[in-house]
């Protein structure tokens, strides 16, 4: 694909309102010779010279989103804390997905008929819309099928990912639309990495959920319920902690969980239409960093079928309590 050699410039927004449509296909960026700025939305050069979008609210919170993978890699609240985590082994060279932040799993969560966690996290997304609403920046990214995706999943689709940054919250909306002439099914998740002290981190809100525990055997998850399941998950008073390797799916999870990251922050994780939740920490499989993060993921584990023209929408709201 041809590369752009000219700097990218955007129209200057008016003081009274700001809304625009820009189609930036991530893989068209060879490099950015100058920063692109607007009201609370800036497209600049990130790690590995990959284009990233920086959102800045009027109260000083910030978020970074890489167009490669449509991945939110940072969410910094006004006190300067970054509540997301990117692994030290993460690479920004398009040879593999970005390991950390909020990567997309689509159209497949986990292993299956195509590559692990699908292809959305290692494709280039486009900016199709951005605006600033009362000091809160908003950006919408788009992913469509192309030969790479069709080589493993032969369907036409559109994925829209809307990100809204406020003073103490980060919200997302994912819309999957079947643009094909035949039905398709998919599963999906936001593989959310939160900065944490693993020995002090805990999650509330999962009491009573049916569990699929992958810790004994990843290929044959052990079914159970959150009250009775112990193994490497210690459960006490509706609190789940991370004392060892953890890889557990919670089916029909509630629409709000609370993560105590063990670093002094409690994060509310609300959602609509993400039916399941996943907790993960690799423990000694990633000895260099496992103590510094936990994954608390909103997911759609069971397959969702869409007829031609139909859409599926799910939202997530992260906020600091």
């Amino acid at each position: 694909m041809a590369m752009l050699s000219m700097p990218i410039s955007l129209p200057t927004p008016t003081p009274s309102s700001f809304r625009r449509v820009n189609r930036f296909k991530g893989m068209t960026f060879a490099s950015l010779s100058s920063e692109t700025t607007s009201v609370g939305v800036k497209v600049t050069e990130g790690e590995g010279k990959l284009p990233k979008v920086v959102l800045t609210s009027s109260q000083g919170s910030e978020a970074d989103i890489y167009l490669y993978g449509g991945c939110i890699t940072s969410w910094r609240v006004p006190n300067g804390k970054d509540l997301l985590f990117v692994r030290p082994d993460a690479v920004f060279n398009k040879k593999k997905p970005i390991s950390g932040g909020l990567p997309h799993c689509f159209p497949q969560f986990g292993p299956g008929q195509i590559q692990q966690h699908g292809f959305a996290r290692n494709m280039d997304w486009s900016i199709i819309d951005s605006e600033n609403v009362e000091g809160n920046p908003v950006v919408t990214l788009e992913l469509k099928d192309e030969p790479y995706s069709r080589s493993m999943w032969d369907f036409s689709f559109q994925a829209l990912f809307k990100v809204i940054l406020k003073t103490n919250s980060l919200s997302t909306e994912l819309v999957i639309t079947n643009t094909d002439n035949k039905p398709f099914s998919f599963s999906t998740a936001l593989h959310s990495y939160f900065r944490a002290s693993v020995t002090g981190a805990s999650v509330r809100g999962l009491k009573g959920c049916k569990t699929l525990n992958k810790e004994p055997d990843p290929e044959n998850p052990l079914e159970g319920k959150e009250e009775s399941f112990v193994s490497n998950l210690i459960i006490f008073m509706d609190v789940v902690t991370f004392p060892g390797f953890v890889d557990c799916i919670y089916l029909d999870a509630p629409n709000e969980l609370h993560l105590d990251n063990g670093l002094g922050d409690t994060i509310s994780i609300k959602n609509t239409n993400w039916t399941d939740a996943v907790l993960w920490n690799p423990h000694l499989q990633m000895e260099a960093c496992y103590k510094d993060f936990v994954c608390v993921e909103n997911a759609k584990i069971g397959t969702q079928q869409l007829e031609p023209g139909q859409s599926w929408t799910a939202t997530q709201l992260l906020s600091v309590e």
Side-chain angles (χ1 to χ4, degrees):
M1 183 171 289
M3 299 293 184
L4 294 181
S5 58
M6 297 293 291
I8 294 172
S9 60
L10 297 178
T12 302
T14 62
S16 59
S17 64
F18 173 72
R19 187 174 182 87
R20 69 171 185 278
V21 175
N22 303 296
R23 294 188 176 271
F24 297 149
K25 196 64 177 175
M27 64 178 64
T28 64
F29 285 75
S31 63
L32 296 176
S33 58
S34 63
E35 291 187 342
T36 304
T37 60
S38 64
V39 178
V41 181
K42 178 172 64 176
V43 180
T44 187
E45 185 175 274
E47 296 286 337
K49 298 185 177 181
L50 297 180
K52 75 173 180 179
V53 183
V54 180
L55 304 182
T56 306
S57 77
S58 60
Q59 299 300 315
S61 56
E62 289 190 329
D64 295 345
I65 312 167
Y66 278 80
L67 297 186
Y68 178 65
C71 183
I72 303 173
T73 57
S74 180
W75 170 35
R76 299 177 294 278
V77 289
N79 65 12
K81 279 190 175 183
D82 193 340
L83 299 177
L84 301 183
F85 182 80
V86 175
R87 287 168 20 194
D89 62 344
V91 296
F92 294 79
N93 58 11
K94 293 193 174 184
K95 293 184 179 180
K96 60 181 292 189
I98 297 171
S99 300
L102 305 181
H104 292 275
C105 302
F106 174 83
Q108 175 182 287
F109 174 78
Q113 295 182 346
I114 63 175
Q115 66 188 24
Q116 174 86 359
H117 290 324
F119 48 70
R121 61 182 185 152
N122 56 320
M123 290 180 66
D124 293 288
W125 295 59
S126 304
I127 301 172
I128 64 165
D129 187 64
S130 61
E131 59 183 317
N132 190 292
V133 180
E134 299 179 349
N136 304 311
V138 183
V139 67
T140 301
L141 307 184
E142 179 188 54
L143 182 68
K144 288 185 174 182
D145 57 285
E146 54 185 53
Y148 171 72
S149 67
R150 282 184 167 272
S151 69
M152 59 187 101
W153 197 66
D154 192 20
F155 296 101
S156 175
F157 70 92
Q158 180 198 52
L160 296 177
F161 188 54
K162 184 177 183 179
V163 182
I164 304 172
L165 177 68
K166 296 185 178 181
T167 303
N168 288 307
S169 70
L170 180 72
S171 63
T172 64
E173 179 186 73
L174 178 63
V175 182
I176 306 297
T177 300
N178 183 346
T179 57
D180 213 314
N181 58 8
K182 56 185 179 293
F184 62 64
S185 298
F186 65 92
S187 58
T188 183
L190 285 176
H191 197 331
S192 309
Y193 287 73
F194 292 96
R195 190 176 301 275
S197 169
V198 73
T199 56
S202 62
V203 179
R204 288 188 292 111
L206 291 166
K207 185 176 182 180
C209 292
K210 180 180 178 180
T211 58
L212 298 176
N213 176 30
K214 295 184 179 181
E215 184 267 326
D217 183 355
E219 296 185 0
N220 296 287
L222 178 65
E223 294 187 14
K225 269 198 173 183
E226 190 253 342
E227 292 96 336
S228 59
F229 175 64
V230 181
S231 188
N232 274 345
L233 291 178
I234 295 176
I235 299 163
F236 178 71
M237 295 294 291
D238 192 25
V239 172
V240 180
T241 60
F242 299 80
F245 176 81
V246 172
D247 190 355
C248 190
I249 294 169
Y250 293 80
L251 300 176
D252 297 321
N255 61 11
E256 183 173 6
L257 303 177
H258 298 268
L259 167 65
D260 181 340
N261 65 10
L263 300 172
D265 308 292
T266 300
I267 301 169
S268 168
I269 306 171
K270 295 182 180 180
N271 84 85
T272 61
N273 222 24
W274 290 107
T275 53
D276 312 300
V278 181
L279 301 190
W280 181 69
N281 181 271
H283 198 51
L284 297 179
Q285 294 179 5
M286 295 182 186
E287 194 167 1
C289 64
Y290 80 91
K291 296 179 181 179
D292 301 321
F293 77 91
V294 297
C295 286
V296 183
E297 311 168 32
N298 278 319
K300 178 69 175 178
I301 301 299
T303 56
Q304 174 70 46
Q305 180 166 311
L306 291 180
E307 298 295 325
Q310 286 187 334
S311 296
W312 173 87
T313 302
T315 67
Q316 174 176 274
L317 173 63
L318 306 178
S319 57
V320 181
E321 297 182 354

